[in-house]
């Protein structure tokens, strides 16, 4: 049985605090758990888009914080291939190094995770 802690980030980066809270939870959990997995699906893929200008809509720019994931040793990062396609995006549009995967494959692989937390 896998003891990974899986975070599914599916919220758009602005308009609510869910995306920021999800990222904060991932970073906090990494202090007590060695096996953190992050999956971006749905509108969550917008969180990773390069060249965002959130200050123009009076939002905090959290994109640089994603660079801390590597420092916190959160290395298993995945993005839903279909979510990218649905939004006419590709991996090249994203600001961090991440692995594309089909959602079904992802959930099958992590079906025995210790917990799955959604934001």
């Amino acid at each position: 049985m896998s003891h990974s802690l899986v975070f599914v980030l599916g919220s758009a980066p602005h308009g609510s605090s869910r995306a920021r809270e999800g990222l904060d939870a991932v970073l906090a959990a990494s202090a007590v758990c060695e096996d953190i997995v992050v999956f971006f699906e749905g509108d969550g893929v917008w969180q990773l888009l390069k060249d965002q200008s959130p200050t123009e809509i009076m939002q905090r720019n959290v994109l640089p914080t994603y660079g801390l994931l590597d420092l916190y040793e959160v290395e298993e990062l995945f993005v839903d291939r279909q979510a990218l396609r649905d939004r006419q995006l590709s991996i090249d549009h994203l600001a961090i190094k991440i692995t594309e995967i089909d959602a079904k494959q992802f959930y099958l692989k992590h079906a025995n995770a210790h917990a799955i937390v959604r934001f």
Side-chain angles (χ1 to χ4, degrees):
M1 175 180 268
S2 173
H3 294 289
S4 59
L5 179 56
V6 176
F7 287 87
V8 177
L9 305 181
S11 299
H14 311 296
S16 80
S17 61
R18 289 177 60 94
R20 285 188 312 276
E21 290 169 355
L23 178 58
D24 289 345
V26 169
L27 295 174
S30 71
V32 294
C33 182
E34 291 182 14
D35 191 7
I36 303 281
V37 179
V38 183
F39 182 58
F40 293 87
E41 68 177 8
D43 285 340
V45 301
W46 293 117
Q47 295 179 35
L48 304 175
L49 196 61
K50 290 179 190 175
D51 302 322
Q52 295 182 36
S53 300
T55 54
E56 292 178 15
I57 57 170
M58 296 195 276
Q59 296 286 309
R60 191 177 117 222
N61 187 2
V62 296
L63 189 59
T65 308
Y66 288 99
L68 294 175
L69 292 172
D70 189 44
L71 179 67
Y72 281 70
E73 297 181 3
V74 178
E75 298 166 350
E76 288 194 75
L77 303 170
F78 301 94
V79 63
D80 180 12
R81 182 175 286 123
Q82 189 61 48
L84 288 175
R85 284 187 195 137
D86 290 348
R87 289 152 185 83
Q88 299 178 350
L89 297 173
S90 73
I91 203 87
D92 296 328
H93 291 105
L94 306 182
I96 66 170
K97 184 180 175 188
I98 194 163
T99 303
E100 279 185 87
I101 191 170
D102 291 322
K104 183 177 180 179
Q105 285 178 294
F106 177 82
Y107 285 112
L108 284 173
K109 180 179 177 181
H110 296 287
N112 293 323
H114 178 71
I116 297 177
V117 183
R118 295 182 159 278
F119 282 91

